[in-house]
Amino acid sequence: MEKTIKNVEDLYAMLDSQFRASEQFWDPFYSDRERPVPFFHNKPDENLQSYLSRGLIQPGRAMELGCGPGRNAIFLHRNGFKVDAFDISQVAIDWAKERASELTYNIHFQCQSVFELKPNEEYDLVYDSGCLHGILPHRRIQYLKMIYSGLKPGGYFGLTCFAPGFGDVGGPEFNLSDWDVYEVNSMKGGLAFTEEKIRYLLSDYFECIELRMMNEMDKDSDLFGVPFLWTSLWRKK
Ligand SMILES: C[S@@+](CC[C@H](N)C(=O)[O-])C[C@H]1O[C@@H](n2cnc3c(N)ncnc32)[C@H](O)[C@@H]1O
């Protein structure tokens, strides 16, 4: 039978098919570990460290989405969390596993798309550093629902994503709207979110605990911090 749209999954598949598959971008991206990519360094986000040091979050079960080579998952494990971390890139997951095994850390890293996950009130913390802003707008619906379902009552969601107006750093060059994405058939390196848009997307599910720009960290710091990302912490309603 010809391709037919009968349900939402069919609609998602049709819209996905207009774009390159994520792993086709990310596998080559991670293949050269020497590239000067700020998040290739094994340092956690400064905001994540700050949530812990201020007691805003406590050790428990954590899920990291789009974990890349594992820098935040490793930090969470080191700070007493039991961590499940997922990424669509096998190359990134291999690197993350290598890093963790060198440190003899037992972290569950798995190559899997976030759209295949079906957690059920299992996690105290879900963390996303740079995954949501690379997800196609229509997939966001399912993504946020999955995070909500995966969190225990009162659990926390930490999110960092591109802020608008920083095209020169190579991220969200054109400040595309969700509609634009489907007109130009690209996210041009990732979508930038205004504060209003972040609050609009998340506030049905979560109460905002903190939303601020990431603090820029010195090259010699043990923490990762760049000035073009929002950081935020949310609590499940
Ligand atoms: C900007 S990178 C950030 C990596 C990591 N969080 C960090 O900050 O070091 C975004 C990551 O999201 C992953 N990703 C994109 N789409 C995904 C999907 N559908 N499922 C799982 N991971 C995905 C990419 O492979 C990539 O590693």
Side-chain angles (χ1 to χ4, degrees):
M1 192 176 67
E2 71 189 56
K3 287 180 181 150
T4 304
I5 294 178
K6 183 175 171 184
N7 55 39
V8 173
E9 278 310 311
D10 297 331
L11 179 63
Y12 283 178
M14 182 277 284
L15 291 169
D16 289 347
S17 73
Q18 312 298 311
F19 298 85
R20 171 175 58 179
S22 291
E23 58 276 31
Q24 284 173 11
F25 172 80
W26 288 106
D27 278 343
F29 184 90
Y30 287 115
S31 295
D32 177 3
R33 298 183 184 182
E34 303 308 316
R35 290 174 57 216
V37 177
F39 63 83
F40 278 12
H41 298 284
N42 193 3
K43 302 172 175 192
D45 289 343
E46 64 80 13
N47 53 297
L48 184 58
Q49 191 274 344
S50 146
Y51 303 150
L52 263 169
S53 67
R54 286 183 287 153
L56 296 181
I57 55 174
Q58 317 285 337
R61 277 198 74 192
M63 169 165 72
E64 191 183 5
L65 301 168
C67 63
R71 59 193 183 85
N72 288 312
I74 286 171
F75 172 79
L76 288 169
H77 173 83
R78 191 181 276 149
N79 283 279
F81 284 83
K82 187 169 184 309
V83 185
D84 297 324
F86 301 94
D87 200 284
I88 202 162
S89 164
Q90 185 65 56
V91 181
I93 289 294
D94 290 345
W95 189 0
K97 282 182 176 169
E98 258 178 62
R99 271 182 174 165
S101 71
E102 276 161 18
L103 298 163
T104 62
Y105 287 169
N106 180 17
I107 301 172
H108 176 229
F109 284 111
Q110 191 167 318
C111 180
Q112 193 164 11
S113 170
V114 294
F115 306 126
E116 292 166 4
L117 303 173
K118 299 206 178 344
N120 183 19
E121 297 199 347
E122 291 159 45
Y123 295 102
D124 301 282
L125 173 71
V126 173
Y127 196 66
D128 168 339
S129 185
C131 189
L132 175 78
H133 65 206
I135 280 179
L136 287 164
H138 62 280
R139 285 283 181 182
R140 226 183 267 148
I141 306 167
Q142 152 189 29
Y143 185 62
L144 292 174
K145 275 193 184 147
M146 180 274 288
I147 294 169
Y148 183 82
S149 309
L151 282 170
K152 292 178 185 170
Y156 289 88
F157 173 42
L159 170 73
T160 82
C161 62
F162 284 135
F166 292 94
D168 57 326
V169 295
E173 295 150 64
F174 303 105
N175 293 338
L176 297 179
S177 72
D178 288 352
W179 260 243
D180 294 335
V181 169
Y182 300 91
E183 289 203 357
V184 299
N185 283 88
S186 169
M187 288 192 287
K188 302 283 185 194
L191 298 177
F193 293 76
T194 60
E195 177 174 350
E196 185 189 17
K197 186 164 171 174
I198 298 175
R199 290 188 186 277
Y200 174 68
L201 289 171
L202 298 187
S203 56
D204 288 351
Y205 297 107
F206 305 102
E207 167 202 356
C208 186
I209 305 297
E210 181 174 275
L211 172 59
R212 64 165 170 86
M213 293 300 291
M214 189 176 259
N215 293 321
E216 186 164 14
M217 302 310 291
D218 202 76
K219 190 159 63 48
D220 303 323
S221 169
D222 292 341
L223 301 173
F224 171 87
V226 288
F228 49 86
L229 293 176
W230 289 112
T231 70
S232 58
L233 183 66
W234 305 79
R235 189 166 186 268
K236 180 173 174 169
K237 277 184 177 172

